[in-house]
C-alpha cells in the first residue's frame, strides 16, 4: 500500500514540472511577437516627465567683493618697561594692570629711593666744595696780580702769578662735580618709573617687595609691557583672495572681536609670502582710537570690502558648478554657461552680466547634462 502511494506522488510532481515548462514557452512566444516601443522623440522628452528645476532670474546691479579673514590685534608700538635703578619696589600704581590706562609722566612703579637721595646729597656737597676751591683760587690769583702790578708798574702779570693753571684745574673739577650731580638726579628720577605718553598696559610682572636689578647688568627684570594706545590688526590672506581685492590699501574693513565691531582701513600688505603657509598678510588700522578697542592679542574676524562692480550679477552659491560654470534653461533644455567670474563673497558669486535665457539653475539636477529636458520653476526665494 505504501509503495502505491509513493508512485502516485511521483506522478503528480512530474506533471507539475511539465506544466511550468509549457507556461514559460507560451510567455516567450507572446513577448517575441509583441510590437516594439516607438523611439522617444522631442515631444516625448518634453513631456511632464521632465524634471523640474529651480531657476533664478538675476538683475544687474552694483556689487562689492568682500573677503572674510581671521587675524590678531597687535600693539603698533609696544614698550617694555625695564628698571634703570636697582632696589626694592615700594609702590605699584593701580593703573599698572592688564588693560589699565595711564597718563604721560604718571609714576607706575616706585623703587626705594633712599640710596639715590644719599648719593645726590653727596654729589651736591662735592660740587659745593669744588666751587669753593675755585673761588679761593680766583680770589688768590686776583690778589697776587694786584700785588705784582704795585711792585712792577706797567709790566704784564705772569700767568703763574695769577694762578691761571690752578683756576683752570678747579674749573674742570667743578664741571665734573656738576655732571655727578646730574647723574645722581637722574638716578633718583629712575626710582620713579614712567613713560612720556598716555597709554594702556598689555601685561605686568612686578609687585611690591620685589627687588630689582638695574638695566644693563644682564639681570634686569621686565616690569610690564605698555603701548601708546595705537593698535593694528594682522590678517593672513590667500593669494586668490588678494587677487580678488587687487590693491587692498585704503579699502574699508570691519574688525569683529569679543568687544564688538570696529571700523578699520587696510594700511599695507606684506611684500612676501610666509614660507610655510604661502599666505600674505594684511595690516589694518582702526579708524577710531579709544578705550573700547580690544586688547593686543585678541582674536579678530575681519571683513574687507573690495572694489564695486557695476552691472554685475550676484548669484547664489548653489548655482556654481565645476570650472566656474553654471546651467541655464534654454527652451526647456539645460545649457552650460561659463560667465566671467568677478569674485566670491559671503553673499554669493559675483559674475559679469550675461544672457541667462530662461533662468539660471539653482541646486543639483539628477543626471544633469547638456541638452537634458527640464521644466523651469521660478525660485520661491527670489524677491
Amino acid at each position: 500500500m505504501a509503495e502505491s502511494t509513493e508512485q502516485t506522488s511521483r506522478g503528480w510532481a512530474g506533471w507539475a514540472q511539465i506544466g511550468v515548462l509549457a507556461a514559460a514557452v507560451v510567455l516567450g512566444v507572446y513577448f517575441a511577437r509583441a510590437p516594439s516601443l516607438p523611439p522617444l522623440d522631442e515631444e516625448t522628452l518634453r513631456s511632464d516627465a521632465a524634471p523640474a528645476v529651480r531657476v533664478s532670474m538675476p538683475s544687474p546691479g552694483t556689487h562689492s567683493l568682500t573677503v572674510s579673514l581671521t587675524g590678531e590685534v597687535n600693539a603698533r608700538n609696544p614698550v617694555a618697561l625695564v628698571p634703570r635703578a636697582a632696589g626694592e619696589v615700594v609702590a605699584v600704581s593701580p593703573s599698572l594692570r592688564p588693560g589699565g590706562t595711564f597718563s604721560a609722566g604718571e609714576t607706575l612703579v616706585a623703587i626705594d629711593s633712599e640710596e639715590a637721595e644719599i648719593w645726590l646729597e653727596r654729589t651736591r656737597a662735592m660740587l659745593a666744595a669744588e666751587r669753593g676751591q675755585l673761588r679761593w683760587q680766583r680770589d688768590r690769583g686776583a690778589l697776587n696780580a694786584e700785588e705784582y702790578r704795585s711792585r712792577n708798574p706797567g709790566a704784564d702779570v705772569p700767568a703763574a702769578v695769577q694762578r691761571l693753571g690752578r683756576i683752570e684745574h678747579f674749573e674742570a673739577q667743578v664741571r665734573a662735580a656738576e655732571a655727578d650731580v646730574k647723574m645722581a638726579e637722574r638716578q633718583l628720577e629712575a626710582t620713579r618709573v614712567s613713560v612720556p605718553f598716555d597709554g594702556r598696559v598689555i601685561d605686568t610682572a612686578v609687585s611690591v617687595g620685589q627687588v630689582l636689578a638695574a638695566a644693563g647688568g644682564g639681570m634686569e627684570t621686565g616690569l610690564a609691557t605698555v603701548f601708546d594706545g595705537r593698535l593694528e590688526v594682522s590678517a593672513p590672506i590667500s593669494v586668490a583672495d588678494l587677487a580678488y581685492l587687487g590693491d587692498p590699501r585704503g579699502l574699508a574693513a570691519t574688525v569683529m572681536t569679543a568687544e564688538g565691531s570696529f571700523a578699520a582701513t587696510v594700511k599695507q600688505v606684506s611684500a612676501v609670502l610666509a614660507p610655510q603657509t604661502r599666505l600674505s598678510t594684511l595690516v589694518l588700522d582702526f579708524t577710531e582710537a579709544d578705550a573700547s578697542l580690544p586688547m593686543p592679542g585678541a582674536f579678530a574676524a575681519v571683513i574687507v570690502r573690495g572694489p564695486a562692480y557695476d552691472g554685475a550679477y550676484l548669484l547664489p552659491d548653489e548655482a556654481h558648478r565645476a570650472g566656474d560654470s553654471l546651467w541655464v534653461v534654454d527652451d526647456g533644455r539645460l545649457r552650460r554657461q561659463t560667465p566671467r567670474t568677478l569674485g566670491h563673497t559671503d553673499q554669493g558669486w559675483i559674475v559679469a552680466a550675461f544672457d541667462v535665457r530662461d533662468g539660471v539653475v539653482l541646486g543639483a539636477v539628477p543626471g544633469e547634462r547638456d541638452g537634458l529636458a527640464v521644466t523651469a520653476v521660478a525660485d520661491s526665494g527670489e524677491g
Side-chain angles (χ1 to χ4, degrees):
M1 185 68 177
E3 183 178 355
S4 175
T5 303
E6 182 178 357
Q7 291 178 351
T8 303
S9 299
R10 291 178 178 175
W12 281 109
W15 284 109
Q17 291 177 354
I18 294 173
V20 170
L21 290 174
V25 171
V26 171
L27 288 174
V29 172
Y30 172 79
F31 284 111
R33 294 183 177 181
S36 60
L37 295 175
L40 295 178
D41 56 14
E42 184 172 328
E43 293 300 325
T44 303
L45 288 175
R46 293 192 184 182
S47 67
D48 293 337
V53 296
R54 291 183 299 118
V55 296
S56 170
M57 296 295 294
S59 299
T62 301
H63 300 286
S64 297
L65 294 176
T66 59
V67 174
S68 297
L69 309 171
T70 57
E72 183 180 10
V73 179
N74 301 306
R76 186 184 301 176
N77 298 309
V79 175
L81 298 185
V82 178
R84 294 185 294 111
E88 180 181 352
V89 176
V90 295
V92 176
S93 170
S95 301
L96 198 66
R97 54 181 174 78
T101 59
F102 57 85
S103 302
E106 177 184 346
T107 298
L108 301 176
V109 177
I111 302 171
D112 184 8
S113 61
E114 184 177 2
E115 290 186 6
E117 291 170 351
I118 293 172
W119 180 249
L120 177 59
E121 184 178 353
R122 176 181 173 82
T123 58
R124 285 173 175 171
M126 294 297 295
L127 174 60
E130 297 296 341
R131 283 174 173 170
Q133 287 285 349
L134 175 60
R135 186 178 300 111
W136 187 89
Q137 293 293 336
R138 285 173 174 170
D139 291 345
R140 186 63 182 172
L143 181 60
N144 291 347
E146 184 178 352
E147 292 177 351
Y148 184 87
R149 292 190 189 96
S150 64
R151 293 194 300 266
N152 303 283
D156 292 335
V157 180
V161 173
Q162 299 181 71
R163 306 180 72 87
L164 295 183
R166 298 295 295 171
I167 291 173
E168 290 178 355
H169 170 77
F170 281 103
E171 284 177 343
Q173 290 290 92
V174 168
R175 289 195 297 272
E178 288 174 343
D180 287 342
V181 170
K182 289 181 180 178
M183 289 297 295
E185 289 174 343
R186 293 192 61 183
Q187 192 68 15
L188 180 59
E189 292 175 357
T191 62
R192 298 293 184 267
V193 180
S194 64
V195 291
F197 55 79
D198 297 342
R200 300 177 70 187
V201 181
I202 298 176
D203 56 49
T204 181
V206 62
S207 57
V208 173
Q210 186 175 350
V211 178
L212 305 176
M219 298 295 291
E220 63 269 15
T221 301
L223 304 179
T225 304
V226 301
F227 69 106
D228 60 5
R230 292 182 293 176
L231 295 166
E232 61 187 21
V233 179
S234 298
I237 183 172
S238 68
V239 175
D241 285 341
L242 192 58
Y244 288 152
L245 296 177
D247 184 355
R249 291 173 296 180
L251 293 180
T254 300
V255 176
M256 294 171 287
T257 69
E259 287 77 9
S261 298
F262 306 91
T265 304
V266 179
K267 179 178 67 174
Q268 64 185 47
V269 56
S270 62
V272 296
L273 300 179
Q276 294 183 345
T277 62
R278 308 304 296 169
L279 296 176
S280 185
T281 301
L282 295 185
V283 179
L284 303 95
D285 281 342
F286 288 98
T287 303
E288 301 292 337
D290 54 56
S292 67
L293 292 178
M295 286 294 294
F299 171 83
V302 179
I303 298 178
V304 181
R305 290 180 288 280
Y309 292 96
D310 296 327
Y313 289 155
L314 177 62
L315 302 177
D317 288 330
E318 59 181 336
H320 187 266
R321 298 297 193 273
D324 282 345
S325 65
L326 50 75
W327 294 109
V328 297
V329 176
D330 182 15
D331 194 23
R333 294 183 180 277
L334 289 184
R335 300 299 179 192
R336 186 179 294 276
Q337 295 276 358
T338 306
R340 183 166 64 91
T341 296
L342 301 177
H344 296 270
T345 73
D346 293 339
Q347 291 74 40
W349 178 23
I350 300 177
V351 300
F354 66 100
D355 186 1
V356 299
R357 307 298 174 86
D358 300 325
V360 177
V361 176
L362 304 178
V365 179
E368 60 185 23
R369 65 182 182 278
D370 197 270
L372 177 68
V374 294
T375 301
V377 178
D379 181 43
S380 60
E382 291 189 324

